[in-house]
Amino acid sequence: MARYIFITGGVVSSLGKGLASAALGALLQARGYTVRLRKLDPYLNVDPGTMSPFEHGEVFVTDDGAETDLDLGHYERFTGVPARMTDSVSSGRIYSNVLEKERRGDYLGKTIQVVPHVTNEIKDFINIGDDEVDFMLCEIGGTVGDIEGLPFFEAIRQFSHDKPRGQCIFMHLTLLPYLAASGELKTKPTQHSVKELQSIGIAPDILVCRSEQPIPEKERQKIALFCNVRKEAVVAAYDLKSIYEAPLAYHYEGLDQAVLDAFDIAPAPKPDLRTWEDVNDRIHHTDGEVSIAIVGKYTQLEDAYKSIKEALVHGGMHNRVKVNVNWVDAEVFDKEDAAPYLEGYDAILVPGGFGERGTEGKIKAAQFARERKVPYLGICLGMQMAVIEAARNMAGITTAGSEEFDHELGKKRFEPVVYHLKEWVQGSAKITRKASDDKGGTMRLGAYNAVLEEGSKVAEIYGDTTIEERHRHRYEVDTTYREKLEEVGLKFSGMSPDGRLPEIVEWQDHPWFLGVQFHPELKSKPFDPHPLFKDFIRAAKDNSRLV
Ligand code: GLN
């Protein structure tokens, strides 16, 4: 049976609950335990798949094809444990399950209520895989006191009672604001937040307090006294230069020890922190820097491309260079020359995206990179744009475009070198969908294999000819145009195992130009950077030496 750590937040949102959970997961692993991390989100969307990246940030895709919250990305990057469909749930999903059961008659005519039906559904979810790991870390999204969070708080309260004594603990994150005028850290918001938690029957065992200033002993004692926690269980979380400092920083503040104490685990196994010491060393000791342009649409909210940004940082750590990420809005040069906007960067990355807006600019970015021999990595939509660019400017298919944009406008304008896929194979199963299917969950989602051509650049980078990567898209490059494109030098160097779906394209006559239909960024970790990002940053570094 797993031990459970429930992580909640108070005072304000965006305190870094996800990061604290992920870092704690890493520290428990360093002590020799197995962990799994989960996110319970109070919003009513069934999953974040249809939520705008402007609002919600990136959608993180798991191997088993779930569209989940970006916090699962943090979890994977810190623990290396591949997240699953059953590691993320929202109120929307819970209610939808309950209502489905009600329609099916599973409740035998009973009146359906939040307690016990909704809370039971939440508890069943939390319990999945209970026998698989030593510790299950469950983060509750939002802030204590939010109306929509209540069923989750009630469920975890009940859950801790259902389990044997000592099997569950509660960790609460709060903020200690600093008042410059009086030169003090204020503990009152933390006290109120803990009161709120206690009023719904949850007594925190550990308080993690975000603070810009060191927490004086007096304040620490006060928090412990008023919030009914042990003094050693008041853990400070200071601002960090890099998120990857978090595991060591939390360790030195005593978080993992406090957790083991709360579970009465003694003697505590000694931690092996070498992985994180190496990660820290790589962040702090760099030799030079590279400047990467991310040419995208959702550039106002950096979280929209969270995993890409992190994967670039990992690539930098591997090459011991600092990576400066620059967000370039593709729409700005939709109708003008892209060169003034793109000159001076060591490499260009065009990320995934949906809809036509900004795509002419992305096509120009691909053209600029090809002509100027600047390293280019096109991810998903970024690959599709590179293929359209090649078709239009090299293969003479001047009206080349994607069916996605014609569908959006309801008008046929383009020759569809990128088309809407309606049938494909996953493992041994055939998957079919209609054009009229719902927007949510109708994409090619999750892990698929690709076969790489021997001797190609991409096979050399991976050091292998079979790979598995995660997908999230509706449209595909059409192999009808393969011959024409290969004739002008754009090689289809990676295909789905049945040879029908192009997975990777590369320009032959270019130092580093790759388009990939999948999302390699989702699998990169600071202690195990993704091969494509390692080599992309290496190419950027070589390029920066040339200028
Ligand atoms: N919009 C494109 C598609 O659905 C690309 C998706 C993406 O970049 N993730 O195929």
Side-chain angles (χ1 to χ4, degrees):
M1 195 195 301
R3 289 184 167 97
Y4 289 80
I5 304 168
F6 293 105
I7 299 123
T8 58
V11 184
V12 291
S13 59
S14 309
L15 280 179
K17 252 187 302 160
L19 180 59
S21 311
L24 175 57
L27 288 174
L28 291 169
Q29 285 180 319
R31 299 245 188 194
Y33 296 110
T34 54
V35 300
R36 178 161 288 284
L37 286 104
R38 286 209 164 130
K39 178 86 192 273
L40 287 72
D41 266 313
Y43 52 71
L44 281 172
N45 304 60
V46 172
D47 64 42
T50 50
M51 285 159 94
S52 162
F54 285 120
E55 232 179 82
H56 193 71
E58 159 187 282
V59 172
F60 190 81
V61 180
T62 59
D63 280 332
D64 57 4
E67 298 180 279
T68 69
D69 189 86
L70 55 77
D71 272 322
L72 268 73
H74 278 315
Y75 302 164
E76 272 204 41
R77 283 189 282 276
F78 280 81
T79 64
V81 176
R84 297 181 193 152
M85 199 172 274
T86 46
D87 292 332
S88 158
V89 80
S90 63
S91 289
R93 163 70 60 209
I94 295 286
Y95 277 94
S96 148
N97 290 355
V98 168
L99 294 176
E100 207 175 287
K101 286 185 187 167
E102 187 269 338
R103 291 291 85 187
R104 262 202 326 252
D106 290 6
Y107 297 118
L108 305 171
K110 286 251 173 349
T111 307
I112 312 304
Q113 295 180 297
V114 173
V115 182
H117 301 100
V118 170
T119 46
N120 280 353
E121 190 70 28
I122 298 172
K123 289 196 286 181
D124 288 348
F125 174 84
I126 296 171
N127 211 40
I128 296 171
D130 175 72
D131 51 351
E132 287 179 19
V133 288
D134 300 321
F135 286 95
M136 196 80 86
L137 287 76
C138 299
E139 178 191 347
I140 316 293
T143 312
V144 60
D146 296 346
I147 291 177
E148 57 265 45
L150 278 173
F152 286 109
F153 284 96
E154 171 60 14
I156 60 174
R157 183 194 68 76
Q158 291 176 14
F159 190 92
S160 74
H161 279 288
D162 297 347
K163 292 280 173 187
R165 202 181 277 278
Q167 205 69 21
C168 302
I169 66 163
F170 295 93
M171 168 170 139
H172 190 56
L173 253 88
T174 70
L175 174 73
L176 299 182
Y178 177 70
L179 283 196
S182 57
E184 282 177 314
L185 280 177
K186 303 309 269 182
T187 63
K188 195 69 85 187
T190 297
Q191 295 178 39
H192 280 295
S193 172
V194 170
K195 272 219 176 76
E196 183 82 42
L197 210 52
Q198 285 167 340
S199 74
I200 49 179
I202 294 173
D205 298 281
I206 293 170
L207 284 179
V208 173
C209 302
R210 281 295 298 269
S211 170
E212 284 173 21
Q213 304 281 334
I215 307 177
E217 188 56 21
K218 203 174 102 243
E219 263 66 37
R220 209 180 274 266
Q221 266 167 4
K222 193 166 157 190
I223 297 169
L225 183 65
F226 283 94
C227 298
N228 198 28
V229 293
R230 285 161 194 268
K231 195 164 66 75
E232 306 73 49
V234 179
V235 178
Y238 302 119
D239 297 346
L240 302 169
K241 237 180 85 197
S242 156
I243 55 170
Y244 300 117
E245 294 170 342
L248 288 187
Y250 274 124
H251 174 70
Y252 293 124
E253 290 301 324
L255 178 63
D256 43 334
Q257 187 60 55
V259 166
L260 297 176
D261 288 347
F263 282 112
D264 260 335
I265 298 175
K270 288 242 165 321
D272 177 355
L273 298 166
R274 278 172 299 179
T275 304
W276 293 101
E277 278 158 2
D278 179 55
V279 164
N280 264 34
D281 185 66
R282 287 176 183 277
I283 299 166
H284 293 292
H285 300 101
T286 50
D287 174 19
E289 42 192 87
V290 293
S291 255
I292 312 291
I294 299 189
V295 182
K297 180 165 75 166
Y298 316 109
T299 48
Q300 306 96 309
L301 181 69
E302 292 194 11
D303 269 359
Y305 303 115
K306 184 80 192 146
S307 294
I308 291 187
K309 186 174 164 232
E310 295 309 324
L312 288 169
V313 170
H314 306 160
M317 285 159 68
H318 176 80
N319 289 283
R320 291 229 184 234
V321 287
K322 179 168 180 286
V323 177
N324 299 316
V325 173
N326 304 274
W327 308 94
V328 181
D329 185 354
E331 226 181 327
V332 175
F333 45 83
D334 251 359
K335 293 194 180 63
E336 17 172 331
D337 183 14
Y341 298 94
L342 297 176
E343 264 158 352
Y345 295 116
D346 302 316
I348 294 171
L349 188 151
V350 176
F354 293 84
E356 186 170 8
R357 195 148 69 77
T359 50
E360 287 304 320
K362 292 178 190 177
I363 292 169
K364 283 187 185 156
Q367 180 179 7
F368 176 88
R370 173 177 59 78
E371 291 175 350
R372 304 278 191 106
K373 304 242 183 279
V374 178
Y376 175 95
L377 176 57
I379 294 179
C380 208
L381 187 72
M383 168 200 186
Q384 298 172 355
M385 296 304 104
V387 170
I388 293 172
E389 192 279 316
R392 284 188 193 172
N393 301 326
M394 298 296 285
I397 311 166
T398 51
T399 58
S402 168
E403 258 192 330
E404 177 174 6
F405 313 147
D406 278 348
H407 285 165
E408 201 180 344
L409 208 68
K411 195 158 102 191
K412 177 139 179 58
R413 293 165 296 163
F414 297 117
E415 174 145 0
V417 296
V418 178
Y419 73 107
H420 191 203
L421 181 77
K422 304 214 178 54
E423 204 178 275
W424 68 92
V425 186
Q426 182 168 34
S428 53
K430 195 164 104 183
I431 303 183
T432 327
R433 89 182 138 205
K434 298 186 290 299
S436 59
D437 278 346
D438 294 354
K439 272 261 186 287
T442 57
M443 285 185 269
R444 185 150 86 98
L445 279 169
Y448 284 85
N449 284 337
V451 181
L452 313 184
E453 191 177 304
E454 233 159 294
S456 62
K457 172 160 224 101
V458 74
E460 186 195 315
I461 293 171
Y462 274 95
D464 209 339
T465 49
T466 315
I467 58 165
E468 190 190 70
E469 294 283 4
R470 294 183 195 166
H471 290 245
R472 180 176 185 248
H473 56 110
R474 288 193 182 83
Y475 297 84
E476 300 276 347
V477 171
D478 194 337
T479 44
T480 316
Y481 304 90
R482 179 172 183 171
E483 220 179 287
K484 265 195 174 161
L485 289 165
E486 291 204 322
E487 253 165 43
V488 296
L490 187 71
K491 181 147 94 180
F492 286 41
S493 52
M495 300 293 290
S496 59
D498 63 3
R500 281 183 57 212
L501 307 174
E503 293 276 7
I504 300 154
V505 295
E506 56 185 76
W507 276 111
Q508 302 285 66
D509 190 20
H510 191 288
W512 213 101
F513 192 114
L514 283 180
V516 295
Q517 188 57 76
F518 46 81
H519 290 275
E521 72 276 17
L522 301 179
K523 297 223 300 202
S524 189
K525 286 142 202 121
F527 46 84
D528 182 17
H530 192 283
L532 287 178
F533 283 89
K534 282 201 264 195
D535 208 54
F536 180 57
I537 297 295
R538 193 225 13 100
K541 189 171 158 187
D542 290 352
N543 190 32
S544 76
R545 298 237 160 92
L546 296 175
V547 285

